[in-house]
Amino acid sequence: MTAAPTLDVVAIGNAIVDVLAPSDDAFLAEHALTKGGMQLIDAATAESLYADMAAGKEVSGGSAANTLAGLAALGKKCGFIGQVCDDQLGAVFAHDVRALGIRYDTPAVKGDVPTARCLILVTPDAQRTMNTFLGASQFLPASALDMDLIRSASILYLEGYLWDPEQPRAAMRAAIDAARGAGRKVAFTLSDSFVIDRHRDDFIDLIDKGLIDILFSNEGEIQSLAQIDDFEKAVTAIAARVPVLVSTRSEKGAIALIDGVRYETLAAPVEAVVDTTGAGDLFAAGFLAGHLEGLDVETCLKLGAAAAAEVISHWGARPEQDLLAIRASVLG
């Protein structure tokens, strides 16, 4: 008999330090950057772009790690698997994630490939344009996984961004097998349309084989996955193939489709949108926290929207306000 879970969520994702700096449309055009998107860059481009950026703020990030930060702030027990280099930014990342009470035991690697960093340019309209150098994170091998840790969590949460490199893709497949073998749920976030374009067949295969229990997306991502240029038709097509589909729609709120039943929530009010970095990550944190507690779907969506509203009200992708207090206000 499988032992009862001792953790709520274990996530596998990029171990990244974010560098956020203000920018404008002219700067984006000068550097041929697609506003609001995410692109992978090499070490030389990262160095050149960093040199041209305005003074910024360094904070630990990474999509899955951001979600765990929200979950930990909501009182959940979490673990993270992701690879850093034995360098200064690697030490910063490890310190930050452990300071949140998240278990993090993945050994840092030694060598010439530095810790990943994401250069995030935030324009006055709060749109963030991300330029990611994956560094050491893209070489996470299956041998670095703690399978007992994965089996110990109620939910395995996987970051679509990390599906792109070959080694972590193989590692995540092994992690899915371990989690499913232990009777755990698997949640997957699609992350970005460029990832879907490269790995659509893989993602559809995972869904159709019943290996994904909860799928997170935004409006553009679900349309890309379904290859249907209509949101409603896209969610209908994918929802029929996955137990729980959650899709965020920015200021239009979010929906969830479960067993053919649709649930919706409005976007939570926010005084001013400062930086949209991490909005989807924190939405997933709020939704999963409610799901783990057995709350009704509408409340899970509201928790997700409230957590997302908190993170877009300031710079950076980690919560700064008391999410438990925000949770209490949502629950009334």
Side-chain angles (χ1 to χ4, degrees), residues 250-254 264-269 283 301-302 305-306:
S250 299
E251 71 279 359
K252 291 178 282 188
E264 299 188 38
T265 190
L266 299 173
F283 187 96
L301 288 169
K302 289 177 181 178

Side-chain angles (χ1 to χ4, degrees), residues 182-204:
R184 310 309 190 201
K185 290 184 177 181
V186 177
F188 194 97
T189 178
L190 290 171
S191 293
D192 196 281
S193 293
F194 94 87
V195 179
I196 300 166
D197 291 342
R198 290 166 62 93
H199 302 286
R200 180 180 292 104
D201 290 347
D202 274 358
F203 295 164
I204 293 296

